[in-house]
Amino acid sequence: MQRLLIKGGKPLNGKYRVSGSKNAALPILAATILLPDHSVIKNVPNLLDVITIIRVLRALGLRAEYSQSVPNTVDVWNNSVKHVAPYELVTKMRASFFVIGPILAIKGLAKIPLPGGCAIGSRPVDIHIKGMEALGARVKLEHGFVIAEAKKLKGGRFYLDFPSVGATESVMMAATLAEGETLIENAAKEPEIADLANFLIKAGAQIVGAGTDVIKVSGVKQLRPVEYSIIPDRIEAGTIMAAAAITMGKVMIEGIIPEQLEAVARKLQESGVRIKMAADRVEVDGSGDRFKAVDVKTMPFPGFPTDMQPQIAAFLTLAKGTSVVSETIFENRFMHMHELRRLGADIKLEGQSAIINGVAKLSGAPVKVSDLRAGAALLIAGLAADGETELEDRDHHISRGYENIIEKLRGIGGDVSKAVVHVP
Ligand code: EPZ
């Protein structure tokens, strides 16, 4: 159990450096299954989720560890791969499921536990499975495992029913070693997909179009080990932009890729936040009078990211007027709204929309963290609320996705500390 104590009401000020992207690191580490020998992945954030994927790689027979000598670097040695992924790790972190593509490509057989749902939704993997079948695999479900088999994967044509990030990644990884050409249509366009493709291309894969909705992969015989540095975390950057805005502070966020933050920057600007973008940094100036309410609808990239929906909702609880926040990607990603109400927010839920009537102020209170980005939203709200907010983060959700977040927020004036848990 982790408890974070936040003393709110102070504007954030100063410089903040973004860590490497969690959602690029996880598929790229999974993709090391495709590469023989020793690969080195740099700019990897120190996160519980990264430790989980490292444990999955170890369970599959690879050697993987954070480097003792170079910070934020993971070394992977791949001499042999087992085909069965461990139940407890895949159910602990859904993202582990996309090891199915690499294992199937290397072993011709993959046995991966069917991931359960999580707080934000049932999170099915039907599109992943259809993708493996499009490459000639036979897939069945037995005793809670997805079992995929194919002597040799064959290039095929695959149209995704929904531009699923993970399914696009699984299929793209598997297609790199398939015989012939694969066309992935209605592919997800998130920047983490292009980063995974760049990693694979550096290892000798032939991929064209990653980052667009049509990706063409020409299978090759073998890939080679590489050294690769991960892109920055656009969701961490967006989270800090919202935190600077809601506390009416002024923060320079460094180490970002501006075009990855367009939708978030535009939405904050529409509400009246002053945003200055430069080559690898963005200055957010929230000082001045109250912001105005705006409507937000989450969409696949380049639309407004669902992973920023809880954080922008927290920001809008203090905006002047009524905002409508619509979640179109996940069916149950409003858990944070109930907790924001405990801090004094005025929110009504109507199906997949939250109607947020801005209030003059939030007041600190104990709240519960249900998932990673809900935790980020409550952290932001606590920074703006009068008095103390205590986040009860039973499953350490926040540490799963934000590297050294307490130290980094304190570095820009956030009064955040780990509360000592008195076990009665
Ligand atoms: C990735 O999850 C991210 N995780 C998520 O970030 C992010 O919210 C999501 O993409 C959407 O951008 C990682 O990259 C590790 P999806 P993923 O497959 O791949 C449905 C965070 O906070 N779907 O694009 O699991 C699914 O139910 C996390 O960092 C199917 O129906 O997301 C959802 O409604 C949370 N069948 C929608 O698609 C499938 O086979 C989007 O899911 C796959 C997905």
Side-chain angles (χ1 to χ4, degrees), residues 18 72 83 93 152 188 192 232 322:
V18 174
N72 295 110
H83 73 276
M93 182 179 71
K152 179 76 184 149
E192 293 75 29
T322 300

Side-chain angles (χ1 to χ4, degrees), residues 193-275:
I193 298 199
D195 205 31
L196 172 61
N198 291 335
F199 168 76
L200 291 167
I201 290 164
K202 191 170 182 182
Q206 289 178 18
I207 302 172
V208 174
T212 75
D213 59 353
V214 179
I215 302 174
K216 192 164 86 176
V217 184
S218 309
V220 294
K221 285 255 170 300
Q222 159 120 30
L223 296 175
R224 56 179 177 269
V226 288
E227 187 169 306
Y228 188 80
S229 190
I230 302 250
I231 55 171
D233 193 314
R234 62 190 170 99
I235 304 300
E236 179 190 11
T239 302
I240 302 304
M241 289 170 76
I246 194 174
T247 59
M248 305 180 99
K250 193 169 176 180
V251 178
M252 177 69 86
I253 303 164
E254 300 175 328
I256 60 130
I257 299 172
E259 56 270 22
Q260 295 180 357
L261 286 161
E262 274 303 311
V264 175
R266 291 258 179 281
K267 203 39 85 174
L268 287 171
Q269 277 169 325
E270 189 188 328
S271 177
V273 182
R274 281 175 296 287
I275 305 261

Side-chain angles (χ1 to χ4, degrees), residues 22-23 26 94-95 120 123-128 162-166 190 306-307 329-331 333 372-373:
K22 165 179 86 79
N23 290 349
L26 297 178
R94 185 186 179 286
I120 62 177
R123 317 265 323 248
V125 289
D126 54 314
I127 305 174
H128 292 251
F162 180 87
S164 152
V165 172
E190 274 68 6
T306 174
D307 290 349
I329 307 291
F330 289 104
E331 68 266 27
R333 199 172 201 169
L372 168 56
R373 306 301 175 185

Side-chain angles (χ1 to χ4, degrees), residues 9 15 17 42 65-66 72 82 136 149-150 156-157 171 204 217 236 255 286 345 354 356 359 377 387:
K15 284 188 180 166
R17 175 151 287 274
K42 292 175 173 274
E65 58 202 35
Y66 274 108
N72 295 110
K82 295 188 190 113
E149 221 168 331
R157 191 163 177 175
V171 178
V217 184
E236 179 190 11
I356 303 175
V359 293

